[in-house]
Amino acid sequence: MARHRHSLRQARCELPSSGRPQRGNRLVEGIIRHALADYTRWEVAQLLRIPADGPYVVVAAAPPMIGRLPLPEIAARLRAVDTSSAWRLFPDIHLGLVHVSSPAAHRATVDLLGRVATTPVGISPMFDDLTDTSVHMRYARLAMESVPAGELVRVFDDSVLAVAAISAPDVTGKIADVILGEFAGLTGDDQQLLTSTFHAWVVADGSIDDAAHALSCHPNTVRYRMRRIEKVTDRSLRVPRDLAELCLAFEIRERL
């Protein structure tokens, strides 16, 4: 424990006074990789120069090439909107711990990242305890890796299904395979078509008409696709347990 505390204090001594995005690299890495059970949140916050009380988000950005910053001067840009942060560049990812003091600060952060991002960026759900940073780094990375085509920034949805889908990837991936049955045997285009239709139907709270409007197709087309989902998965949308399993399985497919 004493050795870890010494390394933290050494990291504090190495923080550049200019406050550039890479300040506190070693300390941010320590927070990301470890649970920090030996340190109080006040110690960590003091060293990182961020508030000790949340909420926070983790931001993950894909470098344009190995070792190159995808979000240059991002800490300074965030300070301009009264948001403090600490960042660490790894070879394959640029990670930031960002303090978002209010819903307005969260929106400002997301808006700013949307304006400056040139590569995929993922944002974790908000959290209050700094010892949860490593878990939320995982959420941010998954959001980054699942940014839809034509977009650059994605916020990880902290719904129960979303969290359950990635809680144990090895297990949940197999669960999805079992639930979806012969779905994996369809062509990639068919899988995507049925997946997008199912999600549209769920977002529309089961309304065929609303899902058809969102998908710009006829309601009968949605009905046909939903029947196909029932057939290939051997599950009924009218049976609560079957529907719950399908919701989880399609969430897993989207997240993993």
Side-chain angles (χ1 to χ4, degrees), residues 57-78:
V57 295
V58 175
V59 176
M65 59 181 64
I66 293 178
R68 183 174 176 182
L69 281 173
L71 298 170
E73 304 299 327
I74 187 60
R77 291 174 182 266
L78 286 169

Side-chain angles (χ1 to χ4, degrees), residues 151-175:
E151 300 180 20
L152 286 175
V153 177
R154 182 171 192 176
V155 179
F156 187 94
D157 178 5
D158 57 349
S159 70
V160 173
L161 280 177
V163 174
I166 70 163
S167 59
D170 291 343
V171 175
T172 55
K174 292 178 181 178
I175 289 173

Side-chain angles (χ1 to χ4, degrees), residues 6 18 29 36-38 48 86 88 98 101 110 120 128 187 202:
H6 173 73
S18 62
E29 182 172 358
L36 295 181
D38 295 335
L48 286 179
R88 173 65 161 119
V98 182
S101 57
V110 175
D128 293 316
T187 66
V202 169

Side-chain angles (χ1 to χ4, degrees), residues 68-130:
R68 183 174 176 182
L69 281 173
L71 298 170
E73 304 299 327
I74 187 60
R77 291 174 182 266
L78 286 169
R79 282 198 302 275
V81 293
D82 297 322
T83 300
S84 55
S85 62
W87 295 81
R88 173 65 161 119
L89 178 64
F90 295 89
D92 65 334
I93 196 169
H94 190 200
L95 291 171
L97 176 63
V98 182
H99 181 261
V100 285
S101 57
S102 66
H106 183 266
R107 288 193 297 272
T109 298
V110 175
D111 290 345
L112 174 61
L113 291 168
R115 292 195 303 272
V116 304
T118 58
T119 60
V121 173
I123 304 172
S124 77
M126 291 190 290
F127 61 101
D128 293 316
D129 191 336
L130 281 171

Side-chain angles (χ1 to χ4, degrees), residues 108-248:
T109 298
V110 175
D111 290 345
L112 174 61
L113 291 168
R115 292 195 303 272
V116 304
T118 58
T119 60
V121 173
I123 304 172
S124 77
M126 291 190 290
F127 61 101
D128 293 316
D129 191 336
L130 281 171
T131 61
D132 291 334
T133 300
S134 60
V135 174
H136 285 75
M137 179 273 289
R138 183 178 174 188
Y139 297 156
R141 179 186 281 272
L142 282 167
M144 179 195 76
E145 292 173 347
S146 60
V147 172
E151 300 180 20
L152 286 175
V153 177
R154 182 171 192 176
V155 179
F156 187 94
D157 178 5
D158 57 349
S159 70
V160 173
L161 280 177
V163 174
I166 70 163
S167 59
D170 291 343
V171 175
T172 55
K174 292 178 181 178
I175 289 173
D177 290 341
V178 171
I179 294 171
L180 294 177
E182 298 177 3
F183 189 88
L186 301 177
T187 66
D189 287 344
D190 267 356
Q191 290 186 33
Q192 181 58 42
L193 184 66
L194 296 183
T195 298
S196 61
T197 300
F198 183 84
H199 283 302
W201 181 77
V202 169
V203 170
D205 293 328
S207 169
I208 293 291
D209 289 340
D210 290 348
H213 178 74
L215 294 167
S216 301
C217 65
H218 194 278
N220 285 342
T221 302
V222 175
R223 292 188 181 92
Y224 169 72
R225 294 175 186 173
M226 300 305 287
R227 286 196 297 270
R228 284 193 66 199
I229 291 173
E230 290 183 307
K231 182 177 180 180
V232 298
T233 62
D234 195 27
R235 279 168 170 77
S236 171
L237 299 173
R238 292 171 294 282
V239 176
R241 173 176 284 186
D242 287 359
L243 177 57
E245 290 180 347
L246 286 172
C247 286
L248 176 59

